Amino acid sequence: MTFDPWRGFTDSALSNEWHEKLTEMSRIARGHILKMTSVAASGHPGGSMSSVEVLLALYNLAKVDPTNPRRDDRDRIIISHGHISPAVYSSLAAAGFFDIVPCLYGFRQGGSPFEGHVEQTVPGIEWDTGNLGQGLSVGVGKAIYSRLSGLGFHTYVAMGDGEQQKGQISEARRLAAKYQLTNLTAIVDYNRLQISGRIRDIMPQDIARDWTSDGWHVVEVDGHNFNQIYGALHRATRDSGSPFMILARTTMGKGVSFMENKEGFHGASVKREMLGEALAQLGTDDSDFDTLVSRRADSPPPMFKREKSPFPLIDPGTPINYGVDDSLDNRSAWGKALLSVAKINMDKDDFTMAVFDCDLAGSVKTAAFAEKYPDNFFQCGISEHNVATCAGSLGAEKALAVWADFAVFGVDETYNQARLNDINHSNLKLICTHAGVQVGEDGKTHQCIDYFGLLNSTFGWKVITPADPNQTDKVARYVLSTPGNFAVIMGRSKVPVITDEEGNPFFGEGYTYTYGRLDTLRRGEKLALVTAGNMAFVAIEAWNKLNDDGLRVALINVSDWSDLHPDDMQMLAQFDHLVVLEDHNVKTGLGSTLAVALMEAGAHSTLTRMGVTGYASSGKPSELFKMLGIDAESVAKRIKQIVGEPARV
Ligand SMILES: Cc1ncc(C[n+]2csc(CCOP(=O)(O)OP(=O)(O)O)c2C)c(N)n1
């Protein structure tokens, strides 16, 4: 299916017919902005009124299809300053995406799709935003997807001028320029005001110079002049030298005399008693106001159907099995699994994949992938906020998006970006190494001990901590071929291959990884030592000590912390005592989560949490574990205290 010929800014100038149509649409859209914000008695009319012409040009003339808003080859229009939702909804309605009336009465109403900040609950919206500074990163992700997939669409990112103060934007700018994303255009609404006043007083910044110095082509236009906006968009979509930024000079509150250039209207609706006058200036009236208010009181407008983010069909390949004599760290097993999965799938039609790095490829084991697939590897430098969003944006397309980093940067540094990836249903594979106190000598700033606590505060992220190289391989293949946001969390050090009691690899040949289920490494009675990830081999050492002393407890490994299975909780509930050993802050880790799940399962067991109870120092992992009382000896001692010393035979 091809797009209508007038879409895509192909003609060099706007036709008179379109100029007339757009001009009339802008008048009507401004009236709609005022009505919906006044009916809701909240919202952001000021920046909405200044952005109307740019949005109408985009939604009417870019390659978007109101009858099929999610078609694969559509241009992506990202609204970075999500608070201008009234202008976005009005413009989408003008372009035929939906009827405006439900929005006029249901804007910002509980249960309505028309939320205060743009959300994908509304047709035509590509990304839920509102946390300023992230939209350009979203656009970079889309532009990379357009290129890798061969779909060849253009991405437009509408932004605020106060928003330019955010640092993440400069990270995204540089990445776009480095990879010459000429299929990306940013449009900044330069109304020179933000919440607290003039942008030049709040934070002086030469916006045009900043973009130019990062390698973008900048043009300045009158942001209320359709001919100029169209001309700039025509150039932006044809120029092949560098990404384009259009600085659209506008007036906050444009169209209503008492609103113009008043920052007070950034985030305040027009009072009921002033609405008639404001609408009259726009050539309309408030005669339907009371009807809209009473419709709002009836019930919220119906929801649109929100489609799931697509995910490619991926062959996970055959596991690599490691023997007891193999000496490697989990992150190396991850790197090998990544390469193996890439080799199987990369040549397939319709398969798109990108791996993102923040200057740590050697340590996080994506260097071999980078060497083999340089076009699919994106070296982004030290720009984690941008990468978290950009990789999430690409992952929400029909593509495999992988970002590997140290846990402290991949999770702690970028929590809000992860939260928005969850809200946006991206399918990001976040692979974190160097997690926990086990990172050792780098010290407390690098010891990520809250990866689960943070990601478990979202509703969608799934955290997996593989115990050894064998389990890492299987987890990696599962995660790479399964939709959803997954975080695979590993340590830095080499770890022994975990064995069963006969000395054979536990997670090797014959082991099937089933997401959400735990593994019983050793059977035992009365007390179960429950462990995970970095601590699994320490727990085995503790178990061996206890076994040597004639105390046989059970040893359980939990790899999938986010979805504890009710049957597994019933099984654990049968033990009198549970001891949880983890390389994580005990306040928000596995022990705390298990405690809740076990109580819900009706358990009467005692529960002892052994994990990280304070920021540790630099030192060898073994030293630090000892200082924290979570080394094998301390664990064995504690367990003996709990069950009482058994009589020696
Ligand atoms: C990261 C972040 N910090 C703060 C805010 C609160 N906030 C919402 S809008 C806004 C001002 C934005 O100014 P500008 O981009 O110029 O938009 P305009 O005033 O033109 O609508 C602020 C600080 C936010 N949404 N996100």
Side-chain angles (χ1 to χ4, degrees):
M1 192 165 83
T2 53
F3 281 100
D4 294 333
W6 44 267
R7 290 195 183 267
F9 306 104
T10 37
D11 288 354
S12 57
L14 190 63
S15 67
N16 287 339
E17 194 192 340
W18 263 108
H19 190 277
E20 245 173 65
K21 266 206 257 187
L22 290 169
T23 304
E24 177 59 0
M25 281 181 191
S26 66
R27 186 184 67 78
I28 294 169
R30 284 201 167 84
H32 289 156
I33 291 168
L34 295 189
K35 274 186 198 165
M36 75 175 83
T37 48
S38 291
V39 168
S42 75
H44 296 83
S48 292
M49 304 278 271
S50 57
S51 336
V52 164
E53 280 79 11
V54 163
L55 295 177
L56 283 171
L58 287 175
Y59 286 123
N60 280 284
L61 297 174
K63 287 186 181 169
V64 290
D65 184 352
T67 64
N68 184 7
R70 287 272 156 184
R71 60 182 277 186
D72 288 352
D73 57 348
R74 70 191 182 280
D75 288 342
R76 304 318 193 246
I77 300 172
I78 313 298
I79 307 298
S80 187
H81 48 336
H83 62 272
I84 59 144
S85 56
V88 179
Y89 301 150
S90 304
S91 303
L92 280 166
F97 281 77
F98 47 79
D99 175 23
I100 193 66
V101 174
C103 177
L104 294 181
Y105 70 80
F107 177 58
R108 287 182 162 238
Q109 184 180 16
S112 158
F114 300 102
E115 298 199 24
H117 292 82
V118 297
E119 316 284 340
Q120 292 183 55
T121 45
V122 172
I125 303 296
E126 299 282 356
W127 200 256
D128 300 20
T129 58
N131 303 67
L132 295 169
Q134 300 197 23
L136 190 65
S137 307
V138 178
V140 173
K142 303 297 181 207
I144 290 174
Y145 174 65
S146 171
R147 183 181 286 178
L148 288 180
S149 65
L151 284 167
F153 59 79
H154 200 93
T155 298
Y156 304 90
V157 182
M159 312 172 81
D161 54 359
E163 184 188 13
Q164 300 303 310
Q165 291 149 19
K166 284 295 292 184
Q168 183 175 337
I169 295 172
S170 62
E171 297 179 359
R173 248 183 348 234
R174 286 191 287 269
L175 188 63
K178 176 183 172 185
Y179 287 99
Q180 294 185 307
L181 299 178
T182 52
N183 55 0
L184 178 64
T185 300
I187 307 110
V188 175
D189 179 32
Y190 193 28
N191 60 26
R192 298 171 300 279
L193 291 176
Q194 60 189 105
I195 293 180
S196 308
R198 297 185 304 185
I199 60 169
R200 74 165 191 240
D201 296 331
I202 289 161
M203 186 50 64
Q205 181 186 13
D206 187 334
I207 296 173
R209 194 187 56 194
D210 286 350
W211 286 73
T212 309
S213 74
D214 279 333
W216 284 59
H217 195 107
V218 175
V219 288
E220 195 166 333
V221 299
D222 175 346
H224 299 304
N225 180 319
F226 282 115
N227 287 324
Q228 289 191 25
I229 295 168
Y230 183 93
L233 288 168
H234 173 75
R235 271 185 70 189
T237 47
R238 253 110 216 109
D239 195 289
S240 59
S242 50
F244 238 80
M245 189 275 260
I246 300 169
L247 192 57
R249 191 176 276 271
T250 61
T251 302
M252 183 176 273
K254 174 78 177 172
V256 176
S257 56
F258 63 83
M259 294 178 76
E260 286 193 359
N261 290 315
K262 300 276 186 334
E263 73 266 19
F265 283 105
H266 159 93
S269 59
V270 175
K271 295 260 177 305
R272 176 71 187 96
E273 54 276 19
M274 301 295 285
L275 186 64
E277 187 191 331
L279 290 171
Q281 289 188 23
L282 296 168
T284 178
D285 60 58
D286 62 356
S287 55
D288 55 352
F289 187 84
D290 293 340
T291 316
L292 292 170
V293 169
S294 66
R295 282 199 74 174
R296 187 180 182 86
D298 281 351
S299 62
M303 278 289 179
F304 300 98
K305 185 173 176 288
R306 179 174 172 167
E307 286 179 31
K308 276 191 178 166
S309 303
F311 190 70
L313 193 65
I314 296 170
D315 180 351
T318 329
I320 301 169
N321 290 311
Y322 298 95
V324 286
D325 295 331
D326 284 319
S327 164
L328 72 164
D329 38 48
N330 288 343
R331 58 198 166 109
S332 296
W334 140 252
K336 289 179 201 299
L338 171 71
L339 199 56
S340 151
V341 173
K343 280 181 182 164
I344 297 164
N345 294 280
M346 196 63 94
D347 292 335
K348 288 182 186 162
D349 287 346
D350 205 23
F351 179 74
T352 304
M353 172 175 191
V355 172
F356 294 87
D357 180 49
C358 293
D359 198 20
L360 288 168
S363 301
V364 301
K365 305 297 178 190
T366 51
F369 175 93
E371 202 175 319
K372 173 103 180 119
Y373 300 109
D375 293 344
N376 300 78
F377 178 81
F378 294 85
Q379 176 52 266
C380 309
I382 308 153
S383 67
E384 294 81 7
H385 295 102
N386 172 49
V387 172
T389 306
C390 170
S393 156
L394 188 119
E397 299 289 347
K398 197 174 171 192
L400 175 58
V402 177
W403 173 31
D405 209 322
F406 286 2
V408 79
F409 308 127
V411 180
D412 292 356
E413 183 86 8
T414 50
Y415 172 69
N416 192 38
Q417 284 72 10
R419 190 178 70 89
L420 286 186
N421 280 336
D422 184 39
I423 288 173
N424 277 290
H425 301 192
S426 61
N427 292 309
L428 178 58
K429 313 307 166 196
L430 172 61
I431 312 297
C432 293
T433 68
H434 296 64
V437 163
Q438 198 234 45
V439 75
E441 288 88 337
D442 277 347
K444 57 176 74 61
T445 56
H446 279 51
Q447 293 162 357
C448 176
I449 49 166
D450 43 12
Y451 46 85
F452 180 68
L454 286 169
L455 293 176
N456 196 42
S457 300
T458 69
F459 295 100
W461 274 94
K462 297 183 186 309
V463 174
I464 308 183
T465 56
D468 79 346
N470 276 321
Q471 200 184 29
T472 301
D473 181 89
K474 292 174 174 74
V475 164
R477 288 172 197 280
Y478 170 77
V479 160
L480 291 173
S481 58
T482 308
N485 286 313
F486 284 96
V488 180
I489 310 283
M490 295 169 276
R492 165 176 174 265
S493 316
K494 286 184 178 170
V495 286
V497 165
I498 298 215
T499 57
D500 59 21
E501 277 195 73
E502 279 73 52
N504 301 313
F506 185 94
F507 298 109
E509 228 168 318
Y511 168 79
T512 308
Y513 170 72
T514 309
Y515 175 78
R517 299 313 296 263
L518 49 73
D519 292 293
T520 301
L521 302 180
R522 301 284 186 273
R523 298 199 176 282
E525 287 170 5
K526 288 194 178 148
L527 184 146
L529 172 57
V530 182
T531 192
N534 288 348
M535 302 312 284
F537 82 94
V538 177
I540 295 236
E541 273 176 41
W543 189 91
N544 288 340
K545 281 181 196 301
L546 292 166
N547 195 42
D548 288 349
D549 288 349
L551 182 60
R552 196 179 165 91
V553 300
L555 178 55
I556 311 283
N557 183 66
V558 178
S559 48
D560 315 327
W561 302 27
S562 311
D563 293 288
L564 301 168
H565 197 281
D567 292 352
D568 289 336
M569 295 307 100
Q570 290 297 340
M571 184 275 284
L572 285 179
Q574 288 166 20
F575 290 95
D576 297 337
H577 307 285
L578 293 163
V579 175
V580 182
L581 177 65
E582 59 185 316
D583 189 2
H584 193 283
N585 183 340
V586 287
K587 291 169 77 172
T588 57
L590 182 60
S592 303
T593 304
L594 270 172
V596 175
L598 286 162
M599 279 202 83
E600 285 177 347
H604 294 283
S605 334
T606 67
L607 185 131
T608 305
R609 294 175 298 169
M610 300 188 76
V612 184
T613 46
Y615 294 111
S617 66
S618 279
K620 290 193 187 332
S622 55
E623 272 179 295
L624 302 180
F625 288 166
K626 198 167 187 163
M627 288 166 76
L628 287 162
I630 54 173
D631 58 315
E633 199 150 317
S634 306
V635 174
K637 197 167 153 201
R638 187 78 185 269
I639 287 177
K640 282 183 190 171
Q641 281 168 359
I642 292 169
V643 292
E645 290 268 0
R648 279 186 178 272
V649 282

